[in-house]
Amino acid sequence: MPALEVANVAGTQEPEYGPSAIQSVAKQAETTPYTELQPQDLRWEAMESTCVETQTFYLMAEDGHIGMTQVIYNNVAGLRTSCQFNTKVFYPDARPPLWSSDALDGYGFDDRRLSFYADGCAITLNEDASSYSVKSATNEASIVNLTVTRTAPGFQVGTNGKSFFGTDPEHPWGSMRHAFWPRCHVQGSIITKNGEINFKGRALFIHALQGMKPHHAAAKWKFCNFQSPTYAAVMMEFTTPPSYGSTVVSVGGVAQEGEIVCAGAANAGQHSQITSDPDNDWPEPGAVKFTWSGKTPNGEHVQAELEGSLGPRLDRVDVLAQVPAIVKTLVGGVVGTRPYIYQYAPKQKLELKLQVGDREVVEEGTLFSEAVFIS
């Protein structure tokens, strides 16, 4: 879930700089499609200027529960820093999702900035950088105690995972970065007021940094997290506002236990069966198609495709509905933004079609997908 901190959504629209004012990570990927993550790539940057930095754990339990835990570090113009811990649980019986969001006090980092802590909350990377402990008692409605262990290498697209924004490439004024652990095992639970949920299953971890106001960097997002018995296929795609030429940047990859099959920026997300949401006129998708293209470490060509109906949405999040009326008026009136997040996990399992060299594999799995519209 892209972090849309309210204070960072507010502001004025930018001039139209054009597509030359974004240096997409896809340019790096032309020569270096991806690099495997090292421990230093998981450091919190904790910028002292405007930014939103997140660590998000996407969870798929063996019993059908789907969840998310997320910590957000948010800085507004170097004047105010805040942190938030979010938890969301989607139930297999289609009851309304559980959502907890709590401001954090006493936050900080360890000496290497690899682990985050706050009062009642800790996200700790272990010594060999292979697993995170995620613990939070910040909300009695969702007490989190999870261990997420990487079972395939992590990656970032290009050499550093970053797209840069600015008319002078040598002195960019903004950035966007994603680092992935595409294939993880999760153990532990989330204790709710209705009982304990065992989240034993699979997980995806993403460390993201938006080194500027989020609505200046992206106008919309497509997100894919597909997990099957053998494979993970993940994608994070954003489209810039017209100020940066409505440029599309798509990062992601396909992994299996112990190895990355392919990763890079030669991916695409496509929405179809569009219906206009009567409450906001956003083009809500009814079906998706995600494609990945790349090469294995051994140089074999890889093509992967995931396509199907999204089914009924799990949730629709009106971001501005969660903020005070005076802020809502400011953001909606001055900026013209009304961010919504649409979340899906089709009941019917979808098929990943994967071709590696002359070998073809088709495997069913579970999809969690988001469509985000900001401006």
Side-chain angles (χ1 to χ4, degrees):
M1 176 189 294
L4 299 174
E5 279 292 303
V6 174
N8 267 352
V9 173
T12 57
Q13 291 180 329
E14 291 192 295
E16 292 198 10
Y17 303 110
S20 63
I22 176 173
Q23 292 78 53
S24 169
V25 71
K27 188 67 176 176
Q28 298 179 32
E30 291 175 3
T31 53
T32 305
Y34 70 94
T35 50
E36 290 192 9
L37 295 180
Q38 302 302 313
Q40 64 268 22
D41 298 315
L42 299 170
R43 292 181 70 250
W44 285 85
E45 292 201 27
M47 295 171 57
E48 296 182 1
S49 55
T50 295
C51 72
V52 178
E53 189 169 7
T54 59
Q55 286 191 341
T56 309
F57 300 85
Y58 297 93
L59 315 169
M60 291 183 176
E62 292 177 353
D63 68 1
H65 286 85
I66 290 176
M68 178 205 78
T69 64
Q70 178 185 64
V71 64
I72 301 175
Y73 174 95
N74 178 55
N75 187 314
V76 182
L79 301 175
R80 180 178 179 271
T81 301
S82 61
C83 293
Q84 198 90 1
F85 188 83
N86 298 330
T87 303
K88 194 161 193 175
V89 174
F90 299 102
Y91 296 92
D93 60 7
R95 77 183 89 161
L98 180 153
W99 167 248
S100 301
S101 184
D102 298 279
L104 299 176
D105 296 318
Y107 54 83
F109 307 92
D110 67 349
D111 290 342
R112 296 190 296 165
R113 287 194 177 182
L114 293 174
S115 298
F116 173 93
Y117 61 83
D119 293 347
C121 177
I123 299 181
T124 308
L125 183 66
N126 70 351
E127 280 300 314
D128 66 357
S130 64
S131 72
Y132 278 98
S133 167
V134 183
K135 296 184 177 182
S136 175
T138 58
N139 194 309
E140 292 183 355
S142 54
I143 298 173
V144 178
N145 186 3
L146 301 168
T147 300
V148 175
T149 302
R150 174 173 52 82
T151 60
F155 71 88
Q156 59 191 357
V157 171
T159 57
N160 59 18
K162 282 188 177 181
S163 295
F164 293 98
F165 296 76
T167 51
D168 181 356
E170 298 300 316
H171 300 91
W173 57 57
S175 64
M176 180 82 77
R177 176 181 184 260
H178 292 87
F180 300 85
W181 281 6
R183 185 76 168 176
C184 303
H185 177 70
V186 57
Q187 288 185 307
S189 67
I190 298 177
I191 299 175
T192 75
K193 292 183 177 179
N194 293 321
E196 183 174 8
I197 301 171
N198 183 352
F199 260 98
K200 180 183 178 183
R202 300 189 179 94
L204 160 69
F205 164 68
I206 300 178
H207 188 146
L209 172 68
Q210 300 179 65
M212 58 196 298
K213 290 183 178 180
H215 72 290
H216 284 179
K220 57 185 177 181
W221 294 82
K222 299 184 182 84
F223 171 59
C224 168
N225 173 25
F226 174 86
Q227 302 285 334
S228 72
T230 310
Y231 298 100
V234 301
M235 187 186 304
M236 189 71 80
E237 178 180 295
F238 68 92
T239 303
T240 71
S243 49
Y244 297 99
S246 299
T247 300
V248 177
V249 180
S250 184
V251 293
V254 179
Q256 61 185 23
E257 298 296 311
E259 65 180 300
I260 296 171
V261 179
C262 74
N267 322 301
Q270 181 180 337
H271 289 165
S272 60
Q273 298 180 17
I274 304 295
T275 57
S276 179
D277 187 331
D279 293 332
N280 54 39
D281 293 328
W282 286 125
E284 182 179 0
V288 290
K289 180 179 180 180
F290 296 104
T291 57
W292 297 260
S293 182
K295 290 186 177 181
T296 67
N298 296 327
E300 291 184 290
H301 181 69
V302 178
Q303 192 72 34
E305 180 180 298
L306 177 68
E307 183 175 14
S309 171
L310 289 169
R313 66 184 180 229
L314 295 176
D315 200 8
R316 182 189 67 178
V317 181
D318 179 354
V319 177
L320 296 187
Q322 303 178 19
V323 306
I326 186 169
V327 177
K328 185 172 182 176
T329 302
L330 171 67
V331 176
V334 177
V335 184
T337 61
R338 193 170 185 197
Y340 273 78
I341 303 170
Y342 297 80
Q343 298 173 313
Y344 307 88
K347 288 292 184 184
Q348 181 177 355
K349 290 185 180 296
L350 301 187
E351 290 182 340
L352 177 71
K353 298 176 181 178
L354 177 66
Q355 182 165 353
V356 181
D358 57 3
R359 305 185 305 279
E360 292 188 8
V361 178
V362 177
E363 189 165 292
E364 286 188 341
T366 301
L367 171 69
F368 176 74
S369 185
E370 293 182 331
V372 183
F373 303 100
I374 301 172
S375 61

